[in-house]
Amino acid sequence: MSAATATATAGAAPRSAGALAGFRIAVTSQRRSAELIEALERRGAQVLHAPTLRLAPLAEDTELLDNTRRVLQLRPEYVLVSTAYGFRRWFETAEAAGLGDELAQVLRAARIHVRGPKALGAVRALGFHAEAMAGDELTSTMVARLAPLLEGKAVVLQHHGLGDDESAAALLEAGTRELVRISPYRWVPPEDAGKPEVLLRALCSGSLDALTFTSAPAVVALLEAARQHGCHPELLHALQTTITTVAVGPVTAAPLREAGIEPLVPSRHRMGAMIHTLVEHLGRRGALECATVLGPCQLRGDTVHLGGAGTELGASQLRLFKALLEARGNVVSRGALAALLPDGSSDHALDMAVSRLRGALPDARLVSTVVKRGYRLNA
């Protein structure tokens, strides 16, 4: 499958108009992905769904139940809850094993602290009381605030599917008497192992406008996949320069920021707010515009608009036209344009690519040839 997976297939129904019409957006999540994809497509976006990880329950829940029995014996003073899904699944698994009533007694006696609003909602929905929530929704903040109180105490840490070694180490350093780590699920590779590679090719080739993340492990998995496929520098460059990256909250954003990528993060850490933030950003900054001798020209995602007509460009055509549009009538050298095509492109290959670009534009006269120098937008 090529990077063009993100574009509409031949013979597909015409795109719906909307705030995201013409933009190509990748969704990396597995959980609730259908909801996110439907919301983006309803606004006119083309969506590439490429999960980098998937959630899988622990095998037969043996480890989870063993640790739950440890919690029942331990009667901890503190229970730290990181994720809503994890807390719900822990309690549901305990109930299915006949341990629900006893676990409920333990939780009611413990001082429960939660990472964020979703975890708080899950705790309350099951009838328990949370004593406090981290203001910035970070587990590290929750642990740091509690550390002075934990010496000699028994503590339970419910964490996400990749574990949380740093928080666990901080709790042990605080002098906890005993620490039990509860992991009600784990992250495993996606069912379609080729999807991360498809996503990487699309990102590195410039075939996408935006990339969405709803979990930190998904970010880590994509960066690791890039290292394994030898395109880590290219991926970082794309995410730092041309592709809009959006994370649902600060926890998800953390590994992106560590890699030098500054994502959009909504003020409310919810999927709906993430979509609104992305729509607002692309509507304001995602389109390129330039006045030409043929009238105003706008590029939204992969679609060129001129005089009321709009046409879609292929991946190579898009790279060439974006370079010309950004130059705003100045000459773009043949060498600079050839560098945007596959390695080893000859002068003839560049001329053919420009010819195909002209044929795809609403008006071929948008691109002018500057003999022996290169090409420019007819502005």
Side-chain angles (χ1 to χ4, degrees):
M1 192 178 296
S2 71
T5 303
T7 62
T9 56
R15 291 186 198 166
S16 59
L20 296 177
F23 291 110
R24 302 140 308 158
I25 302 172
V27 169
T28 60
S29 60
Q30 177 212 12
R31 285 189 66 239
R32 298 183 64 192
S33 60
E35 179 182 343
L36 177 55
I37 292 169
E38 192 277 333
L40 295 173
E41 289 182 336
R42 190 171 65 248
R43 291 166 172 81
Q46 299 173 77
V47 178
L48 170 62
H49 186 209
T52 57
L53 289 173
R54 64 184 172 91
L55 284 175
L58 297 174
E60 300 179 358
D61 297 316
T62 301
E63 180 181 344
L64 178 58
L65 289 174
D66 286 346
N67 284 334
T68 300
R69 293 186 179 96
R70 282 185 60 200
V71 171
L72 299 181
Q73 294 173 355
L74 187 62
R75 301 282 164 167
E77 287 93 346
Y78 288 87
V79 174
L80 314 186
V81 179
S82 293
T83 67
Y85 175 78
F87 186 76
R88 287 195 302 269
R89 191 176 189 285
W90 178 27
F91 196 76
E92 289 166 1
T93 302
E95 281 196 318
L99 303 175
D101 290 343
E102 193 173 355
L103 178 59
Q105 293 175 9
V106 170
L107 292 172
R108 289 192 184 98
R111 303 176 71 174
I112 299 177
H113 287 248
V114 299
R115 177 173 64 84
K118 288 190 283 188
L120 177 63
V123 168
R124 287 176 173 172
L126 289 172
F128 304 111
H129 170 71
E131 187 171 90
M133 178 181 74
D136 57 6
E137 301 187 27
L138 296 175
T139 303
S140 57
T141 300
M142 175 173 63
V143 169
R145 189 182 64 232
L146 286 172
L149 308 175
L150 299 181
E151 185 173 359
K153 306 296 185 183
V155 178
V156 171
L157 173 63
Q158 179 271 308
H159 52 70
H160 56 66
L162 286 182
D164 192 338
D165 294 337
E166 291 185 3
S167 293
L171 289 168
L172 292 172
E173 189 176 334
T176 56
R177 171 167 53 88
E178 189 166 349
L179 174 65
V180 180
R181 300 171 66 172
I182 294 292
S183 181
Y185 56 86
R186 59 192 171 93
W187 293 100
V188 296
E191 292 180 352
D192 186 344
K195 278 296 182 71
E197 185 178 358
V198 170
L199 176 59
L200 288 170
R201 286 203 300 268
L203 291 167
C204 294
S205 69
S207 297
L208 292 167
D209 299 294
L211 177 64
T212 66
F213 288 105
T214 58
S215 74
V219 177
V220 174
L222 181 64
L223 294 174
E224 181 56 32
R227 293 187 185 94
Q228 292 175 1
H229 287 90
C231 61
H232 190 255
E234 293 88 344
L235 176 67
L236 290 185
H237 178 72
L239 298 185
Q240 289 166 348
T241 56
T242 60
I243 295 172
T244 297
T245 306
V246 58
V248 74
V251 174
T252 301
L256 289 166
R257 288 171 171 152
E258 288 172 8
I261 302 159
E262 186 54 44
L264 300 175
V265 181
S267 55
R268 292 185 67 253
H269 309 145
R270 298 288 188 276
M271 186 182 295
M274 180 180 74
I275 295 168
H276 177 76
T277 298
L278 182 58
V279 168
E280 197 172 63
H281 176 84
L282 291 180
R284 186 175 66 251
R285 299 183 57 187
L288 294 173
E289 296 183 2
C290 183
T292 75
V293 296
L294 301 170
C297 179
Q298 182 188 68
L299 178 66
R300 286 179 57 84
D302 67 351
T303 304
V304 180
H305 298 271
L306 179 71
T311 59
E312 300 171 30
L313 301 181
S316 295
Q317 297 165 356
L318 180 62
R319 287 195 291 273
L320 293 175
F321 189 70
K322 189 177 288 187
L324 295 170
L325 190 60
E326 289 174 339
R328 297 186 176 279
N330 294 314
V331 178
V332 183
S333 70
R334 296 181 63 86
L337 291 172
L340 300 175
L341 299 175
D343 292 343
S345 293
S346 62
D347 282 350
H348 176 69
L350 173 60
D351 292 336
M352 291 299 295
V354 172
S355 177
R356 287 191 291 270
L357 169 61
R358 283 178 168 140
L361 291 171
D363 192 316
R365 293 174 295 170
L366 273 172
V367 177
S368 295
T369 303
V370 182
V371 179
K372 295 184 179 180
R373 292 180 61 194
Y375 297 89
R376 69 177 181 84
L377 193 70
N378 200 355

